[in-house]
Amino acid sequence: MSISRRIFLRSATMVAISAAAHSKLTSVAFGQRSGGGRQSAVTGFRVPDESLSDPLTYFTQSTFSAHLNSKFRLRQGTSGGAVVTLVEVKDLAPSAHKVRAHVGSRECFSLVFSGGKQLPQDTYTIEHGALGTFKLLLVPTGKQSGVAYLEAIVNRLYS
């Protein structure tokens, strides 16, 4: 079978264009911009610089477990906020046999806070004497005996 030079050059050009487009689109598909951010030792992935300055990036389940039953101040916008207590840190990581070997390690846990009044779902600025200030999405999970509960889920995948 004989291939003309024209067909060979057209095919080779299409392969080169496809390869170049694939490498460019792969980074876009994973939400990465060329030149932006840097490799994080914590997550193992390329992370925007702004995220690396957030203390929550470095907090683990054991960080919060060490502050169980301590008070956290919640601020929502310019309001005075509320004071809640961290009452539970639950491990939600999937069991080892459910996680595929190529996925890497995971950390998944929930933080349960109790407070006096029912607060809406929102991203709150959290202040704590030892942990500092960070933002966290809190979701109301109900009331028991007049005490309102809020929960946050932290789900991380490390390479």
Side-chain angles (χ1 to χ4, degrees), residues 5-20:
R5 186 173 21 186
R6 177 179 290 163
I7 291 174
F8 175 76
L9 290 174
R10 186 175 357 158
S11 298
T13 303
M14 292 306 292
V15 167
I17 290 171
S18 296

Side-chain angles (χ1 to χ4, degrees), residues 5-157:
R5 186 173 21 186
R6 177 179 290 163
I7 291 174
F8 175 76
L9 290 174
R10 186 175 357 158
S11 298
T13 303
M14 292 306 292
V15 167
I17 290 171
S18 296
H22 175 68
S23 68
K24 185 67 174 172
L25 291 176
T26 301
S27 64
V28 171
F30 289 110
Q32 299 176 1
R33 286 182 238 136
S34 58
R38 59 184 168 194
Q39 189 83 8
S40 167
V42 175
T43 63
F45 298 104
R46 187 174 275 309
V47 177
D49 293 332
E50 304 86 46
S51 294
L52 293 175
S53 65
D54 183 8
L56 188 58
T57 303
Y58 305 98
F59 294 161
T60 63
Q61 180 177 347
S62 60
T63 304
F64 286 103
S65 294
H67 297 287
L68 202 57
N69 297 316
S70 66
K71 302 287 184 192
F72 290 77
R73 175 170 291 284
L74 306 181
R75 297 206 186 273
Q76 182 183 26
T78 58
S79 70
V83 176
V84 295
T85 304
L86 179 61
V87 294
E88 186 176 14
V89 179
K90 287 191 276 189
D91 185 14
L92 302 176
S95 59
H97 70 277
K98 293 181 184 177
V99 180
R100 295 185 184 131
H102 72 277
V103 170
S105 62
R106 291 180 174 219
E107 180 179 49
C108 184
F109 59 93
S110 75
L111 305 171
V112 179
F113 297 92
S114 69
K117 62 180 184 175
Q118 186 77 29
L119 296 170
Q121 174 177 322
D122 202 353
T123 300
Y124 291 88
T125 299
I126 314 264
E127 297 172 358
H128 186 266
L131 299 177
T133 303
F134 56 95
K135 292 187 181 220
L136 199 57
L137 173 67
L138 295 174
V139 178
T141 58
K143 255 185 166 178
Q144 290 180 347
S145 304
V147 178
Y149 290 90
L150 297 159
E151 185 172 23
I153 305 290
V154 179
N155 191 9
R156 297 191 179 119
L157 175 64

